[in-house]
Amino acid sequence: MHAMRTALAGALLAACAAPALAGTVTVITSFPKDLTQAYKTAFEKANPGITLEILNKNTVSGIAYVRETPAGQRPEVFWASAPDAFEVLGRDKLLAKSADVANKDVPDKIGNYPINDPGGMYLGQALAGYGIVYNTRYIAAHKIPAPVEWKDLLAPHWFGHVGITSPSRSGTMHLTVETILQGEGWDDGWNTLLRMSGNSSAVTERSFGVPDGVNNGQFGAGPVIDFFGLSSKYSKFPVEFVYPSETAIVPANIALIDGAKNTEEGKKFIAFTLSQAGQELLLEPKISRLPVLPYSALGGKVPQGYPDPAEIARRSKVQFNADLSQTRYYVVQSLYDQTVTFRLKELQAATKAIYDAEAKLGDKGKSGKPAELLAQARKLAWAPLVDGKQAADPEFLKIFSGNKKDAAVNQQITKLEGEWNGTAKSNYEQAVKLAREAAAL
């Protein structure tokens, strides 16, 4: 018995002395299984003895997970589409430098945007643009013209046909929202977002709820990151994907997490994703992402007619500013949730009441009392509760970048969110009344 205890104690000491879970690299990512499984299979084949463990979480949950895991126990790699999320992690000192595994053949910039973080804290692993996926059969059946620009999804004939998700549930939706806000300015951008959301039939739980819904005909169209639209198209779903002129081509990044268990093998995985073999995986039909390696370095592997990120970046009207996005990261999420996600039924009702009044009144709605009432209804329904001036106020932004575990900070945020939610409900209900009053004239 004593010998058994001694042997057990020795085994426990040896286990404690061994590096924690050597041979396992844990990757926290928001990417879909088609992509992560392809990389897991290829990486494990190229690196016998290393197991890749995938933790799939949306970007916001992923950031929270890294924050809440103690140093020494964290996953090795963070892999996601949103550069502003990496800025948030960097600001919170949760990333470690990995510039030594960068692929030297990757260009410095896409358009004016650096592909790798100049501080070496994260690396561009793929390129991504933002646009609209639409179901060709659906729009033909409903006699809706194909969308080309974001503004096309604001027309009355799109009411109830758009699928959308929330920036708090999806890093890629957050980037789409920011692209519109940066392209149009805060106030006009929110007008576009509120009108598009008013036309939506649902706010999905995850980012892939939008492309899945468009693929199966639940929605006619929706805003998505390009690889969702392209992978659906190249997998033979009846869909098309279009980049509006207001888009941004930015890197989807990969980074080493500070305080991880198995840093060296984590770096091996990052290096693999940036190698020629790792970049060629992006071109598989089910993945359909834009590589960071120039097409010339990928030989004849690029499919004919595949989007050219350099060309899209050249014609894009938006020069994406990740620092600006990072400073208002949680404000944008909170404002969207309080005025759209949690008030969708009321926003839909206000949007429909305005359309019904416009259709009934025709030219009569363009002047006099009806025009005045409709203008008030539109402002109540489609103007942001936080204007551009307040959204740029450092003191206001500081509230949302504070630690939510701090009772005073949490109380301040909760109070603001409650006010926004209540005001949104009241505004939408008032918009319905005014639109109906106009229609009755």
Side-chain angles (χ1 to χ4, degrees), residues 35-50:
L35 183 148
T36 56
Q37 189 58 46
Y39 275 88
K40 177 176 165 65
T41 303
F43 177 71
E44 288 178 352
K45 188 178 177 185
N47 294 272
I50 304 180

Side-chain angles (χ1 to χ4, degrees), residues 339-404:
T339 59
V340 178
T341 312
F342 307 144
R343 288 289 168 217
L344 183 64
K345 281 183 182 169
E346 292 89 347
L347 175 58
Q348 288 167 330
T351 301
K352 186 169 191 310
I354 291 165
Y355 292 159
D356 288 349
E358 287 172 344
K360 187 179 176 200
L361 289 163
D363 287 343
K364 272 173 63 185
K366 293 175 183 175
S367 61
K369 185 71 173 168
E372 198 181 300
L373 290 168
L374 278 174
Q376 287 175 36
R378 290 187 198 104
K379 189 174 179 186
L380 286 164
W382 299 331
L385 296 184
V386 173
D387 64 21
K389 190 178 175 187
Q390 190 181 5
D393 178 1
E395 289 304 308
F396 172 72
L397 294 171
K398 209 160 107 183
I399 297 167
F400 283 84
S401 61
N403 184 355
K404 279 194 173 184

Side-chain angles (χ1 to χ4, degrees), residues 23-191:
T24 299
V25 171
T26 302
V27 177
I28 193 158
T29 182
S30 59
F31 293 147
K33 194 173 180 184
D34 283 338
L35 183 148
T36 56
Q37 189 58 46
Y39 275 88
K40 177 176 165 65
T41 303
F43 177 71
E44 288 178 352
K45 188 178 177 185
N47 294 272
I50 304 180
T51 301
L52 201 68
E53 180 186 47
I54 303 293
L55 286 185
N56 189 277
K57 293 180 180 291
N58 73 38
T59 307
V60 181
S61 303
I63 292 172
Y65 183 88
V66 175
R67 271 186 175 151
E68 289 159 15
T69 306
Q73 297 300 313
R74 293 177 187 140
E76 282 68 41
V77 177
F78 197 90
W79 194 18
S81 295
D84 45 9
F86 289 82
E87 289 290 317
V88 169
L89 286 166
R91 181 194 68 200
D92 292 350
K93 307 281 190 291
L94 291 167
L95 298 180
K97 287 196 175 184
S98 55
D100 55 320
V101 296
N103 185 333
K104 302 293 184 283
D105 293 333
V106 172
D108 291 339
K109 292 185 174 182
I110 177 69
N112 292 326
Y113 200 96
I115 290 180
N116 296 328
D117 172 42
M121 303 308 283
Y122 52 89
L123 304 170
Q125 191 271 326
L127 296 171
Y130 300 85
I132 302 164
V133 64
Y134 61 92
N135 186 307
T136 52
R137 289 179 194 159
Y138 184 110
I139 66 169
H142 289 85
K143 298 183 171 56
I144 305 170
V148 177
E149 300 286 354
W150 300 117
K151 297 282 186 206
D152 295 337
L153 296 181
L154 314 186
H157 54 245
W158 274 103
F159 182 78
H161 299 302
V162 178
I164 210 159
T165 191
S166 157
S168 69
R169 297 173 180 176
S170 159
T172 57
M173 182 60 187
H174 194 116
L175 278 178
T176 306
V177 165
E178 267 294 342
T179 297
I180 292 168
L181 292 177
Q182 292 187 25
E184 299 183 14
W186 179 270
D187 293 304
D188 289 347
W190 271 104
N191 179 272

